[in-house]
Amino acid sequence: MLSRDAINAFCRSLPKTSHVVQWGNSDVWKLGGKVFAICGWSDGKSAVSFKVSDLAFEVLSDMPSIRPAPYLASRGMKWVQVYEDPGLPDVELKAHIEASYEMIKAKLTKKLRTNLGLD
């Protein structure tokens, strides 16, 4: 699994993102004020959570070292957490984080997307 620094660098590279540290020292990545990725800790190990499609939620939740994201999935949201190795190959993990970013982007109002320079 990518390191926490590598995940943060990737999230930072996506256009118009913002970053805050909250929820027990987690790196929380947002677009237009909406969370698309959370990089934090799980039992003392680095973990990353992100939004997924309904199908990806079903598939990924059954894979080793990936689970429905604590707190988020229990509230009916389709989020998963990669919490230990082997996790996902780096390219696949980045693709899922970027897909989460795109899902959030698609839900922003047209006005906000325009204000952020995303349209």
Side-chain angles (χ1 to χ4, degrees):
M1 181 168 78
L2 288 171
S3 70
R4 186 170 179 167
D5 288 342
I7 292 166
N8 283 329
F10 178 72
C11 291
R12 187 177 300 107
S13 75
L14 298 170
K16 306 297 183 179
T17 60
S18 62
H19 169 259
V20 295
V21 176
Q22 60 190 81
W23 303 323
N25 202 31
S26 293
D27 292 295
V28 180
W29 290 94
K30 299 179 182 185
L31 176 64
K34 306 286 184 185
V35 178
F36 71 90
I38 302 167
C39 191
W41 302 103
S42 173
D43 301 324
K45 299 177 188 173
S46 189
V48 61
S49 301
F50 46 89
K51 183 178 181 66
V52 293
S53 68
D54 290 348
L55 179 59
F57 184 81
E58 296 304 318
V59 172
L60 293 173
S61 294
D62 287 338
M63 294 178 66
S65 69
I66 303 173
R67 63 184 171 207
Y71 309 109
L72 298 166
S74 66
R75 288 167 173 71
M77 294 182 241
K78 301 296 182 188
W79 280 67
V80 296
Q81 182 181 73
V82 180
Y83 64 95
E84 65 184 11
D85 288 329
L88 294 168
D90 295 353
V91 171
E92 194 173 332
L93 179 58
K94 286 180 179 180
H96 279 291
I97 292 171
E98 189 166 6
S100 177
Y101 169 93
E102 290 295 333
M103 283 186 267
I104 296 302
K105 180 179 164 184
K107 292 205 176 233
L108 297 177
T109 65
K110 181 169 178 44
K111 180 179 180 180
L112 183 51
R113 284 194 312 270
T114 300
N115 288 346
L116 290 171
L118 295 169
D119 276 343

